[in-house]
Amino acid sequence: MCRSRRSFLHSIVGGAATGIALQWPLAGLSRTGSFEPPQLDGQNPLIRLNRNENAYGPSPKVADVIRSSVGSANRYPYVERAALTEQIAHFHHVKPEQVLLGCGSTEILRIVAFAFLGSGKQLIQASPTFQGMEHYARAAGSEVLLVPLTRTYAHDVDGMLARATASTTVAYICNPNNPTASLTPRKDVESLISKLPATTYIVIDEAYHQYAGHSGMYASFIDSPVDDERVIVVRTFSKVYGLAGLRLGYAVALPKVIHHMLKFATEDNVNAAVAQAAAAALDDTNGVNESVQRNANDRQIFFNSAMGRTLKPINSHANFVMMNTYHPAEQVIQDFRKNNIVIGPHFPAMDTYIRVSLGRPEEMVAFWRTWDSLPYTKGLMTH
Ligand SMILES: Cc1ncc(COP(=O)(O)O)c(C=O)c1O
């Protein structure tokens, strides 16, 4: 297995030692016994702070819809799919032909790879960033150009422009970025788009959009589009909407781009339950606002707890936090695992940093209790 594939798999499972199973794309691996089903250690359920999920789940209104969706379980979901496509288009003030649904935004990234990349073509992206696009780009036979983030954990626009060539058919921008939870200023992304070769599609992954906050630094490329047919914006229902387990993401782009991508999508890739849940979630503005507010509170409490211990996490615009432990991340990850807590994987570009998804209050209490019990976290100085 090539290194990047291994590290993508590692990033999505948080390491084999986590004990969290992924059925796909790891089916082959799980047969080897490397990954076990979710497990209980003694009496305690595993505390899962590793995948940037919404620890609270969907809103009550959405949960009700999921329960009642059983009535459509026997039917192929094309009616629900078409209705949801319309609704998302309406929500974003675009045409339905500009929306493509996927089995999670991961499927959208896979579709991009097979629609626009391949042998002799290159993907350019930051390092570290979410590895899904890279994983599928390599699977499609492409070269991947990795450009380190800047010192402020933003995409290095000049560095990316210096590396991109006419064969660079996809640039992947994750904003806010996973794993750093940091923002790349809107003006920098616009500048990058305008200067990349005409042959480059620009994928803007807005998985954490709702958490980004309101500032001149950030604006969604769906809400405030640029007049450029190469831009493909990707969103997910896995984060703020709390539907990671049901799998739904989508792309917004121009009709001819969506039309081409559609050829690579799985037939009936959106199940009836999630199509109905997502429809309810989009309508439930209060539910989304509450989810964002709760995350902001949890994030503030995390930062207070960290700073009380002289830690300085990277400023977070998402539902997770990355922070320097001044200790080999791999060992910190293992030590948390021994205490029944899974945190994000080791990112080689940031060897002493850990990524922690925000969990429920009691889970975060357990996180800090474990932190305080580790011998090397005593008297940690951050300068
Ligand atoms: C930036 C980013 N994009 C995409 C995904 C995949 O999300 P989905 O559940 O929609 O496949 C994730 C998941 O963590 C992510 O962090």
Side-chain angles (χ1 to χ4, degrees), residues 51 104-106 130 172 174 178 205 207-208 236 238-239 247:
R51 296 285 302 273
S105 54
T106 300
F130 183 67
Y172 173 75
C174 186
N178 178 6
D205 189 335
Y208 301 98
T236 180
S238 297
K239 309 300 174 181
R247 315 302 300 128

Side-chain angles (χ1 to χ4, degrees), residues 164-340:
T165 72
S167 305
T168 310
T169 51
V170 177
Y172 173 75
I173 311 288
C174 186
N175 201 28
N177 188 48
N178 178 6
T180 47
S182 49
L183 285 182
T184 300
R186 163 83 186 203
K187 64 173 178 26
D188 291 356
V189 183
E190 280 184 19
S191 155
L192 179 64
I193 293 170
S194 67
K195 292 177 189 156
L196 277 167
T199 44
T200 311
Y201 285 91
I202 300 101
V203 174
I204 303 185
D205 189 335
E206 297 185 351
Y208 301 98
H209 158 76
Q210 292 86 351
Y211 303 118
H214 305 281
S215 78
M217 274 273 280
Y218 176 83
S220 160
F221 278 83
I222 302 183
D223 302 343
S224 309
V226 285
D227 184 17
D228 195 311
E229 61 181 43
R230 300 167 304 153
V231 174
I232 302 165
V233 187
V234 183
R235 292 274 186 100
T236 180
F237 279 84
S238 297
K239 309 300 174 181
V240 81
Y241 298 110
L243 293 170
L246 293 193
R247 315 302 300 128
L248 184 72
Y250 59 96
V252 175
L254 282 192
K256 72 173 180 187
V257 177
I258 294 292
H259 183 72
H260 181 59
M261 289 169 66
L262 189 55
K263 297 175 199 157
F264 299 88
T266 306
E267 185 78 18
D268 295 320
N269 60 352
V270 173
N271 68 74
V274 82
Q276 293 167 69
L282 276 184
D283 276 346
D284 188 8
T285 312
N286 285 345
V288 173
N289 291 342
E290 278 166 25
S291 179
V292 170
Q293 189 54 52
R294 194 172 41 208
N295 183 70
N297 296 344
D298 289 347
R299 193 168 54 190
Q300 188 59 54
I301 292 169
F302 186 97
F303 271 75
N304 294 347
S305 306
M307 288 185 306
R309 292 166 171 84
T310 71
L311 293 161
K312 283 191 202 142
I314 298 173
N315 193 14
S316 168
H317 299 269
N319 63 345
F320 59 92
V321 178
M322 191 153 203
M323 68 177 182
N324 198 348
T325 65
Y326 299 90
H327 199 80
E330 197 57 65
Q331 186 181 352
V332 184
I333 292 164
Q334 299 295 336
D335 286 340
F336 270 99
R337 181 64 190 84
K338 283 181 206 145
N339 285 277
N340 211 31

